[in-house]
């Protein structure tokens, strides 16, 4: 295969930030083979669908997307079509069977083997269709190239993957496999690298990121708190975030880190899923509603301006109106800055899929609407309280309107302000003028920021 040919790579990504991170790494690993990213599958030499299996209809969505891409392959016979990610992991052979025009199906742990897979699929000695859903004994992190391109100043760094918690509704332990933490040195090297390439903010990623237990340079096991303290030492790095966490892994050292490290942003996504102890038990969450409240209290004692978000599932099997009321009560007690809520969907292969006492669809719909109304009200109130405050905003992209910049507040709110492009990728003080449902608007505060020639 020619190494320098200019080939077009189209990657479509669904799901979580881990998947976005993985898509970037796939692009990195394919770049030396001559692939450059493009925005459309038309004319692409390779199309990768990086899929998510967390909720229902995931497989259907993949097949309907494949159906849309197929005609492009009819006009461009050499186009490689690949399905990656968690649907690939879960459905493997079935995808090849049902979609004979798909060339490659591979799971999240195999991306470092991409060059080999592409070589087999494009085969100088005949083409092969690939299914690779192994959990290789070596870690992909040892083989993936270093992050090549920081798009903007807000970067992501995957430090942990997989999950051993086995919540009864969740496919992650099956699709992403057992929990694995990268070593501290690897993480620090990559963080240094990102900062050198212009990152001002790093979000540490993992399916269960606060279960991080990486090997430290001294041979001992480091937890996430200790890792964040070390990352915070990097000059030029101004903001640190981490996601997604499990309440059971919110240890005292990590809570203290929220008190001690001002680079750690005052926003935490800490999913609770339900406020009912009975449902939490059925979900195998291994904590109660009050355990969660106590953790939130400790976090807020450590960092009084901490804003929280969560994930919720309504309509889990057996959920009664009383159980649901407990969820609403927890939401009122905690007070969220934002939150995601989902209607339960049974995922094949999970214990939840065999549970009885299913909640009727219309009941679950109605609960979801009530929960979302409460969450929206809290989010709106949280944003409205920002009006009048001057806050540092990291502008990492342009807004939709001309002359407009879009950035993030410390509390993870989207902030729009008018300003020149040269303020992109900088942290600038903004006086918030108004808080809306999903964003804030503001005025760039310092005349210095506006007049400075960079
Ligand atoms: N049904 C509905 N929501 C789910 N989630 C995970 N699995 C399911 C499921 N089977 C939600 C959880 C999780 C988020 C990423 O997706 O709330 O925190
Ligand atoms: Fe899924 Fe639970 Fe693991 Fe989160 S902690 S990835 S919800 S099994």
């Amino acid at each position: 295969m020619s190494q320098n040919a200019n080939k077009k790579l189209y990657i479509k990504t669904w799901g979580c930030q881990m998947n976005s991170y993985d898509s970037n790494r796939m692009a990195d690993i394919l770049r030396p083979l001559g692939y450059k990213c493009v925005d459309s599958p038309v004319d692409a030499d390779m199309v990768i669908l990086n899929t998510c299996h967390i909720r229902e209809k995931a497989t259907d969505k993949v097949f309907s997307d494949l159906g849309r891409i197929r005609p492009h392959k009819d006009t461009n016979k050499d186009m490689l079509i690949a399905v990656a990610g968690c649907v690939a992991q879960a459905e493997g052979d079935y995808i090849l069977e049902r979609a004979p025009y798909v060339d490659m199906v591979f799971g999240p742990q195999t991306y470092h083997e991409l060059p080999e897979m592409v070589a087999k699929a494009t085969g100088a000695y005949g083409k092969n269709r690939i299914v690779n859903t192994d959990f290789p004994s070596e870690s992909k992190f040892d083989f993936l190239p270093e992050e090549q391109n920081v798009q903007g100043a807000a970067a992501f760094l995957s430090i942990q993957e997989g999950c051993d918690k086995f919540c009864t509704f969740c496919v992650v332990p099956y699709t992403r496999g057992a929990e694995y933490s990268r070593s501290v040195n690897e993480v620090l090297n990559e963080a240094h690298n990102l900062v050198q390439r212009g990152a001002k903010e790093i979000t540490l990623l993992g399916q269960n990121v606060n279960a991080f237990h990486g090997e430290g340079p001294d041979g001992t096991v480091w937890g996430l708190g200790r890792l964040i303290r070390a990352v915070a030492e990097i000059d030029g790095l101004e903001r640190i975030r981490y996601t997604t966490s499990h309440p059971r892994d919110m240890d005292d050292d990590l809570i203290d880190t929220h008190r001690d490290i001002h680079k750690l942003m005052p926003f935490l996504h800490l999913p609770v899923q339900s406020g009912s102890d009975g449902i939490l038990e059925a979900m195998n969450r291994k904590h109660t509603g009050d355990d969660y409240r106590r953790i939130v209290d400790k976090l807020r004692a450590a960092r009084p301006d901490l804003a929280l978000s969560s994930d919720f599932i309504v309509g889990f099997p057996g959920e009664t109106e009383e159980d649901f009321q407990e969820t609403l009560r927890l939401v009122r007690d905690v007070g969220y800055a934002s939150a995601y809520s989902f209607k339960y969907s049974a995922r094949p292969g999970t214990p939840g899929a065999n549970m009885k006492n299913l909640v009727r669809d219309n009941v679950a719909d109605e609960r979801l609407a009530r929960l979302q109304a409460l969450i929206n009200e809290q989010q709106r109130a949280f944003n409205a309280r920002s009006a009048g405050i001057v806050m540092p905003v990291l502008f990492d992209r342009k807004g939709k309107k001309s002359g407009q910049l879009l950035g993030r507040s410390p509390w993870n709110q989207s902030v729009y302000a008018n300003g020149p492009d040269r303020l992109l990728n900088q942290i600038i003080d903004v006086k918030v003028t108004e808080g809306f449902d999903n964003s804030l608007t503001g005025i760039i505060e310092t005349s210095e920021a506006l007049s400075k020639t960079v």
Side-chain angles (χ1 to χ4, degrees), residues 242 250-252 254-260 266-270 291-310 329-338 378-379 382 385 411:
Y242 62 93
M250 214 65 230
D251 62 29
D252 287 345
L254 184 53
I255 292 173
D256 289 348
T257 309
H258 281 272
R259 180 193 62 207
D260 301 336
F267 175 84
L268 180 64
H269 182 62
L270 190 62
D291 291 337
Y292 183 86
R293 287 180 179 84
R294 270 191 290 274
I295 294 165
V296 168
D297 287 346
K298 277 199 206 172
L299 280 160
R300 285 193 164 138
R303 180 86 205 226
D305 65 341
L306 188 81
L308 285 148
S309 80
S310 175
R329 190 166 71 83
L330 184 138
V331 173
R332 284 195 200 96
D333 287 350
V334 171
Y336 287 98
S338 63
Q378 292 193 343
Q379 181 170 330
F382 180 76
R385 283 200 296 279
W411 300 276

Side-chain angles (χ1 to χ4, degrees), residues 54-55 169-170 271 273 311-313 342-345 347:
I54 197 102
R55 282 176 292 276
F169 52 82
C170 185
Q273 313 295 357
D311 294 337
F312 293 94
I313 295 177
F342 310 103
K343 194 164 77 167
Y344 173 71
S345 66
R347 311 304 295 127

Side-chain angles (χ1 to χ4, degrees), residues 163 165-167 169-170 172-173 207-208 246 273 285:
C163 182
K165 293 282 189 298
F166 291 93
C167 299
F169 52 82
C170 185
V172 165
Q207 258 100 26
N208 208 174
H246 192 290
Q273 313 295 357
R285 293 288 293 179

Side-chain angles (χ1 to χ4, degrees), residues 85-221:
C86 295
V87 174
Q89 185 67 39
E91 305 284 359
D93 291 310
Y94 175 64
I95 298 176
L96 283 195
E97 225 170 85
R98 204 177 129 182
Y101 48 93
V102 169
D103 303 282
M104 303 161 72
V105 179
F106 48 89
Q109 306 308 326
T110 67
Y111 299 153
H112 58 295
E113 295 167 8
L114 252 175
E116 203 181 324
M117 293 192 273
V118 171
K120 281 188 191 151
T122 47
Y125 305 103
K127 293 187 178 185
N128 293 289
R129 299 179 80 206
I130 311 283
V131 183
N132 190 353
T133 49
D134 296 344
F135 287 106
S137 55
E138 80 275 8
S139 157
K140 68 176 175 185
F141 291 117
D142 294 341
F143 295 89
L144 285 172
E146 284 181 353
E147 174 95 39
Q148 306 282 308
N149 53 341
V150 178
Q151 282 151 359
F156 294 93
L157 202 173
S158 178
I159 65 166
Q160 181 279 341
E161 241 191 272
C163 182
D164 294 338
K165 293 282 189 298
F166 291 93
C167 299
T168 52
F169 52 82
C170 185
V171 289
V172 165
Y174 311 97
T175 55
R176 290 273 173 166
E179 206 193 296
Y180 167 83
S181 297
R182 298 176 77 183
S183 75
V184 170
N185 271 342
E186 256 178 85
V187 173
L188 291 179
N189 285 342
E190 194 166 328
H192 272 285
N193 223 297
L194 289 167
V195 172
Q196 253 165 27
R197 289 170 198 276
K200 295 212 163 71
E201 171 178 304
I202 293 182
T203 301
L204 304 173
L205 291 180
Q207 258 100 26
N208 208 174
V209 73
N210 60 342
F212 177 84
H213 59 281
E215 192 190 332
D218 51 358
T220 63
V221 173

